[in-house]
Amino acid sequence: MGRTAPPLDDVDRAILRELTADGRLSVRTLAERVRVSRTNAYARLERLTADGVITGFTARLDPAKAGLGTTAYVLLTIEQNTWEAVAGRLRAVPYVQHIAMVGGDVDILMLVRTPDNAALRDVVLAQVQAVPGIRSSRTWLVFDEL
């Protein structure tokens, strides 16, 4: 907290772009694609990781093929000054893939992916709404992702 990362240059941004497209690239291939030496590419990867720019590597999944065919955004309104406790409890709810604190008419926006509507109902009605500090919820079912 409070530490500012150095500004990114064109090579750093090129590295991030390549890794975002394919996080499994070898350092050699990455260096070739961004036109720097392997030593330079490795050093930049280490710096970007140490500075917290790169926070990890993950696989991108097709939710439907992974058995998560129902997707919804769940918008939550919470009691004032409960955001830390609410966020901690929401992180433990299964099928919640992303939680964001937002400004506006709602306080929290969550992306939820479940196997089916019954599981979504359980997540929202039985688990999320049971979290102390949550005042209301609205669920937006996703018909298609573009």
Side-chain angles (χ1 to χ4, degrees):
M1 295 287 290
R3 183 170 165 237
T4 302
L8 303 180
D9 63 15
D10 291 341
V11 175
D12 291 334
R13 284 188 287 280
I15 287 171
L16 296 174
R17 190 171 39 253
E18 291 294 333
L19 289 175
T20 299
D22 183 358
R24 294 176 20 156
L25 285 178
S26 67
V27 174
R28 178 181 178 182
T29 302
L30 179 62
E32 290 170 359
R33 289 189 182 175
V34 300
R35 297 187 176 111
V36 297
S37 70
R38 280 188 289 176
T39 302
N40 189 348
Y42 183 78
R44 285 174 179 265
L45 278 172
E46 288 293 314
R47 179 179 46 79
L48 290 168
T49 302
D51 288 346
V53 176
I54 296 174
T55 59
F57 296 88
T58 62
R60 286 189 308 246
L61 306 176
D62 179 314
K65 290 180 181 176
L68 301 172
T70 298
T71 300
Y73 287 100
V74 179
L75 294 79
L76 304 173
T77 303
I78 63 173
E79 294 173 10
Q80 294 297 312
N81 302 317
T82 63
W83 67 271
E84 288 180 287
V86 168
R89 293 281 300 268
L90 292 175
R91 285 187 200 101
V93 175
Y95 302 117
V96 174
Q97 292 198 340
H98 180 77
I99 304 170
M101 300 290 294
V102 297
D105 295 339
V106 296
D107 301 307
I108 296 176
L109 173 66
M110 295 189 318
L111 175 63
V112 180
R113 296 185 192 274
T114 62
D116 52 38
N117 286 355
L120 177 62
R121 180 188 64 227
D122 179 66
V123 166
V124 174
L125 299 180
Q127 296 181 57
V128 171
Q129 288 184 354
V131 173
I134 292 182
R135 292 183 4 185
S136 67
S137 69
R138 287 186 289 178
T139 301
W140 294 355
L141 191 61
V142 174
F143 293 130
D144 198 3
E145 296 185 54
L146 309 175

